[in-house]
Amino acid sequence: MRLSDRIAEQLQALIATQGLQPGARLPAERQLAAELGVSRPSLREAIGKLSSQGVLESRHGGGTYVRAAADDWTGAGIVAPLAALLGSLPEYGYDVLEVRHALEGATAWYAALRATEADKARIRTAYEAMLPFHGGDDPTQVSRRDAEYHLAIAEASHNAVLTQVMRGLFDLLHSNVSNSRRKMYTLPQTFEQLAAQHREVMQAILAGDAPAAREAVHRHLEFVHTTLRSLDEDEARLARFSRLPPSSQDR
């Protein structure tokens, strides 16, 4: 583990053990460095990491504070309006997928560069939690495990904004699991391909290979897009056929 990551964990432990509430000010930098037994430059780097994750807030000339809980801007500003759109027009799901394509390339890239050993362990655990599932399992549960895996990667990026937006998008997908998405998770051959793609992304992140991680995510999401599109077209074709008069279907 990098020194700054270890100090960041020490700071989080200090916040917890001292019961510091949102808005509470941390001890002065000199005092805090002495208490933790670290250099002030390393302490500043750790504080910067926790600030980027939304844990701390540094005020110019005013010290460092435990950040107050933010409003649920993800749910209120992203999920609710889009959930209404998806409820009436499911094809908006492809717009969500395009956004994921743009964002998850970044989260995988930064996860490969920044993931701590604890982050990597969480990604492995989330990946392994998907493996017992296979065709025939509850697609909602499979979808949830899939989301937890991708969110573990987002959290390993140590970018608070990317992580929050990703949480909102997956909340949205959970509330609108389309028929096509259900089928995708219950087709054994498709599930095996998804598992192999998830493994490829994980291995690139664990190896610290940012370009490979980004490309693996893009290939995975292109496969998801193509698969969902094909399933949607099959459903539409069957729906058109079912509306034909019985005499036409017999021909």
Side-chain angles (χ1 to χ4, degrees), residues 4 63 172 206 212:
S4 59
L172 176 67
L206 298 184

Side-chain angles (χ1 to χ4, degrees), residues 86 90-98 100 139 143 146 170 173 176-187 190 193-194 197 220-237:
L86 281 176
E91 56 266 30
Y92 275 110
Y94 290 103
D95 289 351
V96 175
L97 192 56
E98 287 180 2
R100 282 187 61 194
S143 174
D146 184 301
F170 280 111
L173 291 175
N176 293 273
V177 181
S178 67
N179 288 333
S180 295
R181 187 171 290 273
R182 290 177 190 277
K183 287 184 179 179
M184 182 178 70
Y185 286 120
T186 53
L187 296 172
T190 301
Q193 290 175 280
L194 291 171
Q197 293 160 14
H220 165 60
L221 292 175
E222 285 169 4
F223 173 80
V224 172
H225 191 127
T226 301
T227 301
L228 289 176
R229 182 70 73 183
S230 176
L231 290 170
D232 278 344
E233 290 173 355
D234 289 344
E235 283 189 2
R237 187 178 301 108

